[in-house]
Amino acid sequence: MYLRVSVTDRCNLRCTYCLPEDARFSDSRAAPEEIDALMGAVCAAVPVSKIRLTGGEPTLSPDLERHVRAAAWLVPTVGLTSNGVLLEQRLADLRDAGLNRLNISLDAADPAGFQRATRRDRFAAVLGSIRQARKLGFDPLKINAVAMSGIDPTALARLAVAEGVHLRFIELMDIGEAHNGWESRHVGAATIQERLRSDGLRIHEAPECDEPTSRVWHIEGVDPHRTTLGFITTVSAPFCSTCDRIRLDSRGRLHTCLFDEAGVDLLSWLRAGDEHGLVELIRRTVAGKAPPPRFRREGAMAAIGG
Ligand code: SAM
């Protein structure tokens, strides 16, 4: 299984599809040592081969390096998804702690587009983190962009080629702030592909490189070891049958699907010291993993980690 752990629900950006300007965050969170203990309990209960730390914005946690170290004891692959704003200075320590996969979210290839998407002026900081990550040898380095009206997919693809990173378009999901005008903002992968082609990029599917949750495409003339395009088609072609993701949120609740709003409270069992009960609960919860009744979630993506 692939475990994603939200170490905090707080964020320093206000992406228009994720959080309102006056976002409120949870006042009860698991303590850092409790998050590590719950990661360990999940790994003891079910086979986990990969852990990804996310948020909110995980770099807002002063304990991120310790979470990476804890995860690296448990599994061979430890990833991080970050908006990159505060990442550059911490990357070397994170790598030394055991981080070996990195995704940075970026919805625009220029400062004005970045400001429109995130309501903040931090494009240069994110680009700095991308370049530092390349310098430190993070490979593959992935950039996540949300596919929605108003983005410039071709400019993002050109930036990905220039920086030598892999670009993945995530279809806008009907979650949290994205409810506002979701139907007009959502853009399917096929539309993005058409737009890339009409802007002159010669792209083609590379199904042999597909991942469980993304379809991979190559750009003619571009080394696929450096840059590929990926499409996460949660909306236009859901991939529940190959999804092996489970999620632990920063309140210590386990979710077997992104659209599983409530999750199951693990923290109370941990605090009660009932290790056996906790492991059994995790096993039962994961055994019940199933496609969602509907692909919609009220709470923000930041609350569960994306
Ligand atoms: N703060 C980190 C970041 O920006 O990468 C990690 C958390 S963020 C919630 C994880 C990913 O979810 C980001 O790539 C973000 O763009 C994506 N996301 C948030 N809301 C979304 C939505 N409604 N539909 C699709 N992706 C969304």
Side-chain angles (χ1 to χ4, degrees), residues 4 11-13 15 17-18 54-58 81-84 103-107 144-146 170-176 178 301-303 305-306:
R4 299 173 65 100
C11 193
N12 48 353
L13 295 182
C15 299
Y17 52 80
C18 190
T54 172
E57 173 47 38
T81 299
S82 165
N83 61 31
N103 290 23
I104 297 180
S105 301
L106 182 65
D107 296 324
N144 293 343
V146 174
I170 309 173
E171 288 183 345
L172 181 68
M173 291 172 242
D174 193 1
I175 293 181
M301 189 80 114

Side-chain angles (χ1 to χ4, degrees), residues 205-276:
E205 290 179 70
E208 69 283 5
C209 302
D210 280 355
E211 293 161 1
T213 57
S214 82
R215 308 280 81 86
V216 175
W217 287 52
H218 289 169
I219 308 174
E220 231 174 274
V222 172
D223 178 0
H225 295 107
R226 271 175 66 86
T227 303
T228 57
L229 302 177
F231 296 90
I232 303 183
T233 57
T234 322
V235 179
S236 66
F239 37 74
C240 300
S241 64
T242 54
C243 174
D244 61 352
R245 298 175 176 204
I246 52 176
R247 296 173 160 86
L248 184 63
D249 72 22
S250 56
R251 294 179 305 151
R253 302 184 76 89
L254 185 66
H255 306 252
T256 55
C257 173
L258 194 53
F259 298 94
D260 160 19
E261 194 95 38
V264 170
D265 175 22
L266 301 186
L267 189 58
S268 305
W269 291 72
L270 180 77
R271 287 183 176 167
D274 184 352
E275 273 176 46
H276 179 72

Side-chain angles (χ1 to χ4, degrees), residues 6 8-11 18-19 25 54-57 175 250 297 299-306:
S6 172
T8 176
D9 60 334
R10 293 186 305 125
C11 193
C18 190
L19 289 173
F25 302 106
T54 172
E57 173 47 38
I175 293 181
S250 56
R297 181 188 162 82
M301 189 80 114
I304 190 172

Side-chain angles (χ1 to χ4, degrees), residues 106-296:
L106 182 65
D107 296 324
D110 64 279
F114 186 89
Q115 167 93 44
R116 274 197 302 281
T118 66
R119 303 192 184 102
R120 297 290 184 272
D121 179 16
R122 303 307 305 275
F123 177 77
V126 180
L127 199 56
S129 292
I130 292 171
R131 291 179 175 163
Q132 177 68 357
R134 286 282 297 152
K135 215 180 281 171
L136 291 176
F138 282 97
D139 186 29
L141 175 59
K142 292 184 181 171
I143 301 299
N144 293 343
V146 174
M148 56 184 171
S149 58
I151 66 158
D152 183 342
T154 310
L156 282 162
R158 294 196 194 289
L159 179 136
V161 172
E163 301 295 332
V165 298
H166 299 270
L167 172 64
R168 302 174 342 142
F169 292 100
I170 309 173
E171 288 183 345
L172 181 68
M173 291 172 242
D174 193 1
I175 293 181
E177 276 299 279
H179 293 328
N180 297 323
W182 177 78
E183 284 182 0
S184 56
R185 292 180 84 190
H186 162 257
V187 177
T191 307
I192 299 279
Q193 289 149 7
E194 256 168 52
R195 168 80 186 273
L196 293 168
R197 283 207 173 103
S198 69
D199 285 345
L201 288 189
R202 289 199 296 276
I203 58 172
H204 59 87
E205 290 179 70
E208 69 283 5
C209 302
D210 280 355
E211 293 161 1
T213 57
S214 82
R215 308 280 81 86
V216 175
W217 287 52
H218 289 169
I219 308 174
E220 231 174 274
V222 172
D223 178 0
H225 295 107
R226 271 175 66 86
T227 303
T228 57
L229 302 177
F231 296 90
I232 303 183
T233 57
T234 322
V235 179
S236 66
F239 37 74
C240 300
S241 64
T242 54
C243 174
D244 61 352
R245 298 175 176 204
I246 52 176
R247 296 173 160 86
L248 184 63
D249 72 22
S250 56
R251 294 179 305 151
R253 302 184 76 89
L254 185 66
H255 306 252
T256 55
C257 173
L258 194 53
F259 298 94
D260 160 19
E261 194 95 38
V264 170
D265 175 22
L266 301 186
L267 189 58
S268 305
W269 291 72
L270 180 77
R271 287 183 176 167
D274 184 352
E275 273 176 46
H276 179 72
L278 177 61
V279 165
E280 282 307 308
L281 176 63
I282 295 167
R283 282 198 185 127
R284 270 200 314 278
T285 304
V286 173
K289 179 171 165 62
R294 60 182 198 152
F295 288 85
R296 184 180 156 94

